[in-house]
Every structure is written in structure tokens, then in C-alpha cells.
Amino acid sequence: MRVGFGYDVHRLIQGRKLVLGGVIIPFEKGLLGYSDADVVLHALCDALLGAAGLGDIGQHFPDTEPRFKGISSMELLARTFQLVRDKGFCINNVDATILAEAPKLDQYRSAMEANIAGVLELEPADVNIKATTMEGLGAIGKGEAIAATCVVTLREK
């Protein structure tokens, strides 16, 4: 068994859609980034790549590459999954935590879990999404950013 950990954070700005776990969340701000800036999927990609010994998301999908500008992070996750499979690994489970002061995310968790499970060919029960606040502390607590952490376990095929 192999374990990977991922983390991502992006600044919240006006004029962008908020996408988390591949779900568009109604909110007055979205995350700033080269792609759709989905911190959940970026943390997940990094966790998968780390567990497989394949580096990080920036190595595979650099923000200097025009073909990745505005790309859906669901596509990045699908490409990451293929890299992990090509290296001979299967995914056991995914556990992610979203750190956001707002919006409230509980009603979107099951959709995020289903999106991720679908791309990674897992049962929805093998994907767990949680959300917490920062109790008003730091940039996330002040509503300036959203972050996510993710842990995955892999096994050899």
C-alpha cells in the first residue's frame, strides 16, 4: 500500500465561477487560477501523483502551457488517473477536506464524491469529502481564499 497527501489553496476573486470537486457552487466569488482552480481536485491530483511517485501537478500540467489555460480540473484528474494506472496502481480510497469560511458546502458533498468516484472508477463510498471553517483565522477565515487537503491510498494492480 502507498499513501499520498495533497494540498492546494487559491485566492477568491470576483468574476469567476466557484468550482469544487467538479461541482459549480453558487457563490459571489470564484477561485483565481490558470485552470478552473478547483482546489479539491488539485489536492487530489497531487495526492495521487505523490503516492505513485510521479511528482506533482505542476510538473504534469504547468501553468506555462497554453493548452491547460482554463482547463477543467475534472480533465486534469482523468489524466492524472491514467498516469497512476499506467504506473501499475489501483486506488483504494480518497479522503479530502475543504477549508472554507463560506459558502456552506454540505449540500454539495455527495455530488463532489460522485464526480470523483466516476472519474477514478471507484464506488462513491470510497470517496469522502469533508468541509470545515478556519474560525475566522487567516486568509481563509477572512474569506479571501479556499484550500483543500487530500489523502489517498493506492495498491499495486
Side-chain angles (χ1 to χ4, degrees), residues 28-120:
E28 66 268 10
K29 296 179 182 176
L31 295 169
L32 176 62
Y34 197 67
S35 66
D36 63 9
D38 186 330
V39 292
V40 176
L41 299 185
H42 292 186
L44 174 52
C45 287
D46 266 345
L48 288 166
L49 292 166
L54 291 168
D56 64 40
I57 193 171
Q59 291 173 277
H60 294 276
F61 313 110
D63 64 6
T64 55
E65 181 67 45
R67 65 188 165 126
F68 299 128
K69 178 123 176 96
I71 194 170
S72 166
S73 294
M74 292 294 286
E75 176 64 24
L76 298 179
L77 180 61
R79 292 179 186 202
T80 299
F81 179 49
Q82 189 60 53
L83 291 169
V84 169
R85 285 182 6 169
D86 289 349
K87 185 109 187 246
F89 293 105
C90 296
I91 302 168
N92 288 321
N93 72 304
V94 171
D95 184 40
T97 302
I98 303 166
L99 299 97
E101 208 64 22
K104 297 297 182 194
L105 299 171
D106 191 56
Q107 66 181 332
Y108 305 104
R109 285 181 335 104
S110 61
M112 290 182 216
E113 291 167 350
N115 282 347
I116 292 166
V119 171
L120 300 181

Side-chain angles (χ1 to χ4, degrees), residues 112-144:
M112 290 182 216
E113 291 167 350
N115 282 347
I116 292 166
V119 171
L120 300 181
E121 300 176 8
L122 295 170
E123 294 298 319
D126 295 329
V127 178
N128 189 61
I129 304 288
K130 306 175 298 294
T132 190
T133 69
M134 295 293 292
E135 300 294 329
L137 300 172
I140 294 168
K142 293 175 186 170
E144 298 171 0

